[in-house]
Each structure stands twice: as structure tokens, then as C-alpha cells.
Short mmCIF file of all heavy atoms in Angstrom, two decimals:
data_model
loop_
_atom_site.label_atom_id
_atom_site.label_comp_id
_atom_site.label_asym_id
_atom_site.label_seq_id
_atom_site.Cartn_x
_atom_site.Cartn_y
_atom_site.Cartn_z
N HIS A 1428 99.32 102.26 85.30
CA HIS A 1428 99.64 101.72 86.59
C HIS A 1428 98.55 102.22 87.64
O HIS A 1428 97.84 103.22 87.44
CB HIS A 1428 100.95 102.26 87.10
CG HIS A 1428 102.13 101.92 86.23
ND1 HIS A 1428 103.01 102.86 85.64
CD2 HIS A 1428 102.49 100.73 85.66
CE1 HIS A 1428 103.90 102.28 84.84
NE2 HIS A 1428 103.58 100.99 84.91
N ILE A 1429 98.48 101.50 88.72
CA ILE A 1429 97.75 101.88 89.86
C ILE A 1429 98.71 102.11 91.06
O ILE A 1429 99.60 101.35 91.29
CB ILE A 1429 96.73 100.80 90.30
CG1 ILE A 1429 95.74 100.58 89.18
CG2 ILE A 1429 95.97 101.25 91.58
CD1 ILE A 1429 94.67 99.49 89.50
N PHE A 1430 98.60 103.28 91.71
CA PHE A 1430 99.44 103.60 92.82
C PHE A 1430 98.68 103.55 94.11
O PHE A 1430 97.62 104.29 94.25
CB PHE A 1430 100.00 105.06 92.60
CG PHE A 1430 100.90 105.09 91.35
CD1 PHE A 1430 100.24 105.48 90.13
CD2 PHE A 1430 102.27 104.88 91.30
CE1 PHE A 1430 100.99 105.64 88.93
CE2 PHE A 1430 103.04 105.01 90.26
CZ PHE A 1430 102.36 105.34 88.97
N ALA A 1431 99.11 102.71 95.01
CA ALA A 1431 98.36 102.43 96.21
C ALA A 1431 99.14 103.06 97.45
O ALA A 1431 100.24 102.72 97.70
CB ALA A 1431 98.19 101.03 96.62
N VAL A 1432 98.61 104.15 98.05
CA VAL A 1432 99.18 104.98 99.02
C VAL A 1432 98.89 104.35 100.39
O VAL A 1432 97.81 104.38 100.84
CB VAL A 1432 98.76 106.40 98.97
CG1 VAL A 1432 99.49 107.24 100.12
CG2 VAL A 1432 98.96 107.06 97.60
N ILE A 1433 99.97 103.80 101.10
CA ILE A 1433 99.79 103.09 102.34
C ILE A 1433 100.40 103.96 103.39
O ILE A 1433 101.52 104.12 103.62
CB ILE A 1433 100.50 101.71 102.35
CG1 ILE A 1433 100.11 100.96 101.03
CG2 ILE A 1433 100.08 100.88 103.52
CD1 ILE A 1433 98.70 100.82 100.75
N ASN A 1434 99.48 104.71 104.09
CA ASN A 1434 99.82 105.82 104.91
C ASN A 1434 100.83 105.39 106.09
O ASN A 1434 101.94 105.91 106.20
CB ASN A 1434 98.55 106.43 105.57
CG ASN A 1434 98.77 107.48 106.61
OD1 ASN A 1434 98.83 107.23 107.81
ND2 ASN A 1434 99.02 108.69 106.05
N ASN A 1435 100.32 104.59 106.98
CA ASN A 1435 101.22 104.30 108.14
C ASN A 1435 102.40 103.28 107.89
O ASN A 1435 103.36 103.22 108.69
CB ASN A 1435 100.38 103.59 109.26
CG ASN A 1435 101.03 103.82 110.65
OD1 ASN A 1435 101.49 104.85 110.91
ND2 ASN A 1435 101.00 102.77 111.46
N SER A 1436 102.43 102.69 106.70
CA SER A 1436 103.58 101.94 106.17
C SER A 1436 104.52 102.71 105.45
O SER A 1436 105.63 102.37 105.00
CB SER A 1436 103.16 100.72 105.37
OG SER A 1436 102.39 99.82 106.12
N SER A 1437 104.25 104.04 105.23
CA SER A 1437 105.13 105.03 104.73
C SER A 1437 105.59 104.69 103.24
O SER A 1437 106.74 104.96 102.95
CB SER A 1437 106.32 105.25 105.55
OG SER A 1437 105.88 105.67 106.86
N LYS A 1438 104.67 104.15 102.43
CA LYS A 1438 105.09 103.78 101.07
C LYS A 1438 103.95 103.84 100.10
O LYS A 1438 102.81 103.92 100.53
CB LYS A 1438 105.69 102.37 101.07
CG LYS A 1438 104.77 101.23 101.43
CD LYS A 1438 105.48 99.94 101.46
CE LYS A 1438 104.49 98.77 101.85
NZ LYS A 1438 105.20 97.51 102.07
N VAL A 1439 104.29 103.74 98.82
CA VAL A 1439 103.31 103.69 97.75
C VAL A 1439 103.66 102.47 96.93
O VAL A 1439 104.83 102.31 96.38
CB VAL A 1439 103.34 104.97 96.80
CG1 VAL A 1439 102.42 104.79 95.69
CG2 VAL A 1439 102.99 106.20 97.69
N TRP A 1440 102.65 101.59 96.73
CA TRP A 1440 102.94 100.29 95.82
C TRP A 1440 102.68 100.77 94.46
O TRP A 1440 101.61 101.60 94.18
CB TRP A 1440 101.93 99.28 96.25
CG TRP A 1440 102.24 98.51 97.54
CD1 TRP A 1440 101.42 98.63 98.68
CD2 TRP A 1440 103.15 97.50 97.77
NE1 TRP A 1440 101.97 97.74 99.58
CE2 TRP A 1440 103.01 97.04 99.05
CE3 TRP A 1440 104.24 97.04 96.94
CZ2 TRP A 1440 103.88 96.14 99.60
CZ3 TRP A 1440 105.08 96.13 97.47
CH2 TRP A 1440 104.93 95.59 98.77
N VAL A 1441 103.39 100.31 93.48
CA VAL A 1441 103.14 100.58 92.02
C VAL A 1441 102.69 99.21 91.52
O VAL A 1441 103.47 98.29 91.56
CB VAL A 1441 104.43 101.06 91.31
CG1 VAL A 1441 104.16 101.41 89.92
CG2 VAL A 1441 105.08 102.26 92.08
N LEU A 1442 101.54 99.26 90.95
CA LEU A 1442 100.84 97.97 90.49
C LEU A 1442 100.55 98.06 88.93
O LEU A 1442 100.22 99.14 88.35
CB LEU A 1442 99.55 97.73 91.23
CG LEU A 1442 99.65 97.82 92.67
CD1 LEU A 1442 98.26 97.82 93.36
CD2 LEU A 1442 100.52 96.69 93.29
N ASN A 1443 100.63 96.90 88.31
CA ASN A 1443 100.30 96.79 86.90
C ASN A 1443 98.74 96.85 86.89
O ASN A 1443 98.01 96.15 87.56
CB ASN A 1443 100.70 95.42 86.43
CG ASN A 1443 100.51 95.29 84.97
OD1 ASN A 1443 99.38 95.51 84.40
ND2 ASN A 1443 101.52 94.81 84.21
N LYS A 1444 98.24 97.80 86.02
CA LYS A 1444 96.87 97.96 85.90
C LYS A 1444 96.04 96.86 85.28
O LYS A 1444 94.88 96.60 85.50
CB LYS A 1444 96.55 99.24 85.11
CG LYS A 1444 95.21 99.84 85.32
CD LYS A 1444 95.12 101.27 84.63
CE LYS A 1444 93.79 101.92 84.85
NZ LYS A 1444 93.68 103.28 84.18
N ASN A 1445 96.76 96.04 84.41
CA ASN A 1445 96.04 94.94 83.85
C ASN A 1445 95.94 93.70 84.72
O ASN A 1445 94.84 93.03 84.53
CB ASN A 1445 96.96 94.51 82.57
CG ASN A 1445 96.94 95.67 81.51
OD1 ASN A 1445 95.92 96.31 81.30
ND2 ASN A 1445 98.09 95.72 80.86
N ASN A 1446 96.85 93.47 85.61
CA ASN A 1446 96.80 92.22 86.42
C ASN A 1446 96.91 92.47 87.88
O ASN A 1446 96.93 91.45 88.63
CB ASN A 1446 97.80 91.21 85.91
CG ASN A 1446 99.15 91.75 85.84
OD1 ASN A 1446 99.57 92.68 86.63
ND2 ASN A 1446 99.97 91.15 84.91
N PHE A 1447 97.18 93.68 88.30
CA PHE A 1447 97.31 94.07 89.78
C PHE A 1447 98.58 93.53 90.29
O PHE A 1447 98.82 93.49 91.53
CB PHE A 1447 96.09 93.61 90.50
CG PHE A 1447 95.66 94.74 91.49
CD1 PHE A 1447 95.09 95.79 91.03
CD2 PHE A 1447 95.81 94.51 92.80
CE1 PHE A 1447 94.72 96.79 91.84
CE2 PHE A 1447 95.43 95.48 93.76
CZ PHE A 1447 94.87 96.61 93.26
N GLN A 1448 99.59 93.06 89.53
CA GLN A 1448 100.93 92.56 90.06
C GLN A 1448 101.71 93.78 90.43
O GLN A 1448 101.73 94.83 89.86
CB GLN A 1448 101.56 91.71 89.06
CG GLN A 1448 100.89 90.39 88.85
CD GLN A 1448 101.50 89.57 87.78
OE1 GLN A 1448 102.59 89.95 87.24
NE2 GLN A 1448 100.95 88.34 87.53
N ILE A 1449 102.57 93.52 91.47
CA ILE A 1449 103.49 94.56 92.02
C ILE A 1449 104.60 94.83 90.92
O ILE A 1449 105.25 93.92 90.43
CB ILE A 1449 104.17 94.14 93.28
CG1 ILE A 1449 103.21 94.05 94.38
CG2 ILE A 1449 105.30 95.18 93.67
CD1 ILE A 1449 103.64 93.45 95.69
N ILE A 1450 104.73 96.11 90.64
CA ILE A 1450 105.91 96.45 89.66
C ILE A 1450 107.09 97.07 90.55
O ILE A 1450 108.20 96.81 90.23
CB ILE A 1450 105.40 97.58 88.71
CG1 ILE A 1450 104.39 96.90 87.74
CG2 ILE A 1450 106.58 98.14 87.90
CD1 ILE A 1450 103.78 97.85 86.76
N GLY A 1451 106.73 97.79 91.56
CA GLY A 1451 107.74 98.45 92.37
C GLY A 1451 107.02 99.12 93.54
O GLY A 1451 105.88 99.00 93.77
N GLN A 1452 107.87 99.88 94.34
CA GLN A 1452 107.28 100.60 95.34
C GLN A 1452 108.09 101.92 95.55
O GLN A 1452 109.36 101.94 95.32
CB GLN A 1452 107.13 99.82 96.72
CG GLN A 1452 108.49 99.19 97.20
CD GLN A 1452 108.27 98.34 98.45
OE1 GLN A 1452 107.77 98.89 99.48
NE2 GLN A 1452 108.45 97.10 98.32
N ILE A 1453 107.44 102.87 96.17
CA ILE A 1453 108.14 104.19 96.50
C ILE A 1453 108.25 104.24 97.93
O ILE A 1453 107.31 104.21 98.65
CB ILE A 1453 107.29 105.39 95.93
CG1 ILE A 1453 107.01 105.21 94.51
CG2 ILE A 1453 107.91 106.68 96.29
CD1 ILE A 1453 105.91 106.18 93.94
N ASN A 1454 109.45 104.30 98.47
CA ASN A 1454 109.80 104.29 99.91
C ASN A 1454 110.40 105.64 100.28
O ASN A 1454 110.59 106.59 99.42
CB ASN A 1454 110.73 103.21 100.22
CG ASN A 1454 110.19 101.87 99.90
OD1 ASN A 1454 109.14 101.52 100.41
ND2 ASN A 1454 110.89 101.06 99.13
N GLY A 1455 110.66 105.79 101.62
CA GLY A 1455 111.17 107.04 102.13
C GLY A 1455 110.25 108.13 102.46
O GLY A 1455 110.58 109.32 102.84
N LEU A 1456 108.92 107.81 102.34
CA LEU A 1456 107.91 108.84 102.63
C LEU A 1456 107.65 108.80 104.14
O LEU A 1456 107.91 107.83 104.82
CB LEU A 1456 106.61 108.52 101.87
CG LEU A 1456 106.75 108.56 100.30
CD1 LEU A 1456 105.64 107.85 99.56
CD2 LEU A 1456 106.96 110.01 99.76
N ASN A 1457 107.04 109.81 104.64
CA ASN A 1457 106.79 109.97 106.04
C ASN A 1457 105.46 109.29 106.37
O ASN A 1457 105.29 108.23 106.82
CB ASN A 1457 106.86 111.39 106.54
CG ASN A 1457 106.74 111.57 108.03
OD1 ASN A 1457 106.33 110.64 108.77
ND2 ASN A 1457 107.14 112.73 108.57
N SER A 1458 104.37 110.10 106.00
CA SER A 1458 102.93 109.62 106.34
C SER A 1458 102.10 110.05 105.07
O SER A 1458 101.34 110.91 105.16
CB SER A 1458 102.45 110.25 107.60
OG SER A 1458 101.18 109.75 107.90
N PRO A 1459 102.29 109.35 103.93
CA PRO A 1459 101.73 109.79 102.69
C PRO A 1459 100.21 109.72 102.70
O PRO A 1459 99.59 108.82 103.34
CB PRO A 1459 102.29 108.82 101.62
CG PRO A 1459 102.63 107.63 102.49
CD PRO A 1459 103.10 108.12 103.79
N ARG A 1460 99.57 110.59 101.93
CA ARG A 1460 98.11 110.66 101.94
C ARG A 1460 97.52 110.46 100.53
O ARG A 1460 96.72 109.62 100.26
CB ARG A 1460 97.65 112.09 102.46
CG ARG A 1460 98.09 112.34 103.77
CD ARG A 1460 97.30 111.60 104.81
NE ARG A 1460 95.88 111.96 104.84
CZ ARG A 1460 94.94 111.39 105.63
NH1 ARG A 1460 95.27 110.40 106.41
NH2 ARG A 1460 93.76 111.83 105.53
N TYR A 1461 97.95 111.37 99.55
CA TYR A 1461 97.43 111.38 98.21
C TYR A 1461 98.39 111.50 97.19
O TYR A 1461 99.46 112.09 97.39
CB TYR A 1461 96.31 112.41 97.93
CG TYR A 1461 95.00 112.08 98.81
CD1 TYR A 1461 94.84 112.50 100.08
CD2 TYR A 1461 94.01 111.28 98.23
CE1 TYR A 1461 93.78 112.27 100.85
CE2 TYR A 1461 92.91 111.04 99.02
CZ TYR A 1461 92.77 111.44 100.26
OH TYR A 1461 91.60 111.10 100.99
N PHE A 1462 98.10 110.93 95.98
CA PHE A 1462 99.16 110.81 94.85
C PHE A 1462 98.54 111.51 93.69
O PHE A 1462 97.31 111.36 93.34
CB PHE A 1462 99.36 109.34 94.60
CG PHE A 1462 100.49 109.02 93.61
CD1 PHE A 1462 101.70 108.63 94.11
CD2 PHE A 1462 100.19 109.07 92.29
CE1 PHE A 1462 102.74 108.25 93.22
CE2 PHE A 1462 101.20 108.64 91.37
CZ PHE A 1462 102.47 108.31 91.78
N LEU A 1463 99.26 112.12 92.85
CA LEU A 1463 98.89 112.85 91.58
C LEU A 1463 100.04 112.67 90.54
O LEU A 1463 101.13 113.22 90.88
CB LEU A 1463 98.49 114.28 91.87
CG LEU A 1463 98.24 115.09 90.51
CD1 LEU A 1463 96.89 114.51 90.04
CD2 LEU A 1463 98.11 116.60 90.85
N GLN A 1464 99.75 112.05 89.46
CA GLN A 1464 100.64 112.08 88.35
C GLN A 1464 100.39 113.19 87.42
O GLN A 1464 99.21 113.45 87.02
CB GLN A 1464 100.55 110.72 87.65
CG GLN A 1464 101.52 110.43 86.53
CD GLN A 1464 101.39 109.06 85.95
OE1 GLN A 1464 100.59 108.20 86.33
NE2 GLN A 1464 102.21 108.79 84.83
N THR A 1465 101.41 113.83 86.99
CA THR A 1465 101.22 115.03 86.08
C THR A 1465 101.95 114.84 84.75
O THR A 1465 101.89 115.76 83.93
CB THR A 1465 101.77 116.28 86.76
OG1 THR A 1465 103.25 116.09 87.03
CG2 THR A 1465 101.07 116.63 87.99
N GLY A 1466 102.63 113.68 84.48
CA GLY A 1466 103.27 113.39 83.30
C GLY A 1466 103.87 111.96 83.33
O GLY A 1466 103.60 111.25 84.32
#
């Protein structure tokens, strides 16, 4: 997946790495900056 952090929209898009289509989104964030996956 590719995770796109959209700061002033307060969300992270979750995208399929093969075709860039939207899989989902992470909401409820304040002013997100950077993302790190650890597992």
C-alpha cells in the first residue's frame, strides 16, 4: 500500500500500490505530518 498523508484535510488515504486506487482512509486525525508502518 501507499499511504498519502493529507495535512489540512486531517486524513490519510490508503492506496493500492499496483494501480493507485483508493482502498480506504484513516480519519479523525488533527493535522497529520508523517506515517510509519512497523508491522
Side-chain angles (χ1 to χ4, degrees):
H1428 303 127
I1429 296 175
F1430 300 88
V1432 182
I1433 314 303
N1434 176 264
N1435 202 43
S1436 293
S1437 305
K1438 64 183 176 184
V1439 176
W1440 289 108
V1441 185
L1442 307 171
N1443 186 310
K1444 198 172 184 180
N1445 294 323
N1446 55 27
F1447 222 71
Q1448 292 178 359
I1449 296 171
I1450 295 175
Q1452 55 183 298
I1453 302 166
N1454 297 307
L1456 300 163
N1457 187 344
S1458 187
R1460 298 289 293 178
Y1461 289 90
F1462 188 99
L1463 175 68
Q1464 183 176 355
T1465 58

